[in-house]
Amino acid sequence: MRKSGFVILVLVFCLIWSSAFIAGRVAINDFDPATTLVLRFLVSAALLLPFCWANRQGVLDKSYIRHGFLLGILNNVIYLGLTFSALEYISAGWVVIVVSCSPFMTAALAAAFKLERLNAPKLAGILIGFCGVLVLTGLTEIERRSVIGLVMALAGTLAFSLGTVLFRGKAEAVPLPQLNFWLSVSGAVFLLPLSLLSAGFRLRLPFHRPLPFFIWPSSA
C-alpha cells in the first residue's frame, strides 16, 4: 500500500473510532449498554458471515475460534462493555479522553512483558497525541458520580491494552474476516445474558407511546 493510501486509511479509521462512543451515547437512550453491544455484534457478525463463508473450512478452524473468543472477551466484552457502561456516568468526550490513554497502557505493558522498549520518541509522540485529545475535547469539572464512570473506562481501556499485547503476533495468523467474525460472536454470546437480565429489549420507541386520540379508545 502506498503511503498516501495508508494515511487515508488511518484517517478514516480515526474518524470511525472517535465517533463510535458518540453513537453509543445516543443508542443507550433507548437500549442499555449490554443490549446496544449485543445488537451491534449480531449485525457485524451477520455482515461478515458471507465473506467468511467463502472459506467454510477456515471459518470453523478451532484456532480461529479460540483466538476470536479469547480476544473478544478482552476487546469486545470487557473493553466495550465497560466503556459503554461508563457512558451512563460520564460524557462521550470523557470516555474518548480515557480511551486515548491506551497507548500509554499498551506501551507500559509491552515493556513489562519485555516485548518493546519505551524510548523517548515513542513517549513524546504519545504525550503530544494525548494533549491534542485534551485540547480538542475540552475539560469539565468532574462530579462525584463521574468517578464510577472514569474507573469503568480506565478498566476497559486496560483490558483493551492487555488484549493488544497478549495477542500481538498470534492473531496476525488469522485472516481478518474470520477473526472479526468470531470477535463479534464472542461479544454477543457473553453479553447476551447481561442484556436479558437488564431487560434491555424493552425499547422506548415511538410505537410504544399512546396512539392518537382518533384511534386510541376513549376512557369515557
Side-chain angles (χ1 to χ4, degrees):
M1 180 182 295
R2 294 182 178 180
K3 186 176 181 180
S4 58
F6 178 76
V7 171
I8 293 174
L9 184 62
V10 171
L11 290 175
V12 172
F13 169 80
C14 291
L15 179 63
I16 296 173
W17 174 85
S18 60
S19 63
F21 293 106
I22 298 173
R25 183 64 186 87
V26 174
I28 63 174
N29 289 327
D30 291 313
F31 302 84
D32 66 278
T35 302
T36 300
L37 291 171
V38 168
L39 294 176
R40 169 182 171 175
F41 295 142
L42 288 176
V43 170
S44 63
L47 292 174
L48 285 167
L49 184 58
F51 298 96
C52 298
W53 201 247
N55 183 6
R56 300 182 185 182
Q57 184 176 0
V59 75
L60 298 177
D61 187 283
K62 292 182 179 179
S63 64
Y64 294 179
I65 298 174
R66 182 175 66 254
H67 283 103
F69 264 73
L70 292 177
L71 187 57
I73 291 173
L74 289 172
N75 281 13
N76 285 356
V77 179
I78 301 178
Y79 163 58
L80 289 178
L82 288 175
T83 52
F84 269 59
S85 296
L87 291 171
E88 295 186 313
Y89 298 90
I90 57 178
S91 68
W94 269 107
V95 173
V96 172
I97 289 176
V98 174
V99 173
S100 69
C101 294
S102 60
F104 287 101
M105 297 183 183
T106 303
L109 289 172
F113 284 102
K114 298 181 179 181
L115 297 175
E116 288 185 5
R117 295 183 62 183
L118 188 59
N119 53 35
K122 288 182 179 180
L123 183 59
I126 292 172
L127 286 172
I128 293 172
F130 181 67
C131 290
V133 172
L134 291 179
V135 172
L136 292 173
T137 308
L139 297 175
T140 57
E141 184 179 354
I142 301 177
E143 301 176 356
R144 291 182 180 179
R145 185 172 180 270
S146 301
V147 175
I148 299 175
L150 289 173
V151 171
M152 286 183 173
L154 282 170
T157 304
L158 180 60
F160 174 78
S161 298
L162 184 61
T164 302
V165 172
L166 292 180
F167 285 86
R168 178 186 176 184
K170 296 179 181 179
E172 292 179 358
V174 183
L176 284 178
Q178 281 82 354
L179 178 62
N180 283 292
F181 173 77
W182 289 114
L183 278 168
S184 297
V185 172
S186 174
V189 167
F190 287 104
L191 286 173
L192 182 59
L194 182 60
S195 172
L196 295 175
L197 287 174
S198 60
F201 287 107
R202 297 175 183 176
L203 311 182
R204 300 191 296 274
L205 296 178
F207 54 75
H208 285 181
R209 299 169 185 170
L211 296 173
F213 70 92
F214 55 86
I215 298 178
W216 195 256
S218 174
S219 58

